[in-house]
Structures are given as C-alpha cells and as structure tokens.
Amino acid sequence: MMALVKAPRSVFVDFPLGRQCGKPMDADLQRNILRDALEALVQVLKPGELIDLPYSWGEPFAWEDYERDLAEMLARRDKPVQAWPSRK
C-alpha cells in the first residue's frame, strides 16, 4: 500500500495490521523499530523510496486473525465492530 501512496519516505514492517511497532509489551522491539523508522528520515535521499525493515513477527498471521482479535477485544469492552464500506 505504501508503494501506491508514494509518500516521500516510507518504511515497511511485515507485521499484522495495527501492530506496526511490534508486539504488545515488547518495548525493546518497539524502540528499535521506531529508531530505524526515524533514521530513515535522514537516510532516504530519493523521493518515494521505501525501506523494508528487517524485523520478523515470528509466527504466521492472517487478516482473519486480526478481525477475530479485534472483535474479541471490542466484545470484552462491550463495543461494536465498525463496518468499513467498500469503495468499489
């Protein structure tokens, strides 16, 4: 998606949606990702460049898992899942 947006500078971390900075309670990983993302502001010289950061989630993940986890979290808080209409 970032390649399509063509932001001036972008970093990519192949993590589940909503977890771009790492797993909850993993402050060291989150700090490293943030540090590397900020460093990209200095390193990237070519407009539109996308840097793929070398971090691994460490286990398989899928969109369905994200939707399930979100629904479970919202149910615990007695909140509805927000519907996102298609733009097609």
Side-chain angles (χ1 to χ4, degrees):
M1 183 179 299
M2 292 307 300
L4 295 174
V5 171
K6 298 186 189 283
R9 296 171 195 87
S10 301
V11 294
F12 174 75
V13 182
D14 192 16
F15 283 1
L17 185 63
R19 309 280 187 180
Q20 291 83 353
C21 288
K23 295 181 180 183
M25 309 307 290
D26 190 344
D28 288 336
L29 175 62
Q30 294 167 3
R31 192 176 302 108
N32 290 336
I33 290 171
L34 180 57
R35 188 175 293 127
D36 288 348
L38 291 171
E39 183 65 29
L41 293 173
V42 177
Q43 291 179 354
V44 174
L45 301 175
K46 185 173 73 173
E49 187 172 348
L50 174 64
I51 296 176
D52 191 357
L53 296 180
Y55 297 99
S56 171
W57 188 250
E59 57 191 78
F61 62 88
W63 178 252
E64 295 80 16
D65 296 335
Y66 170 78
E67 289 177 330
R68 183 199 64 234
D69 293 347
L70 177 62
E72 289 173 3
M73 177 192 70
L74 292 171
R76 286 192 303 272
R77 291 180 168 87
D78 197 28
K79 304 285 183 187
V81 175
Q82 182 177 355
W84 292 92
S86 174
R87 292 186 176 194
K88 293 181 181 179

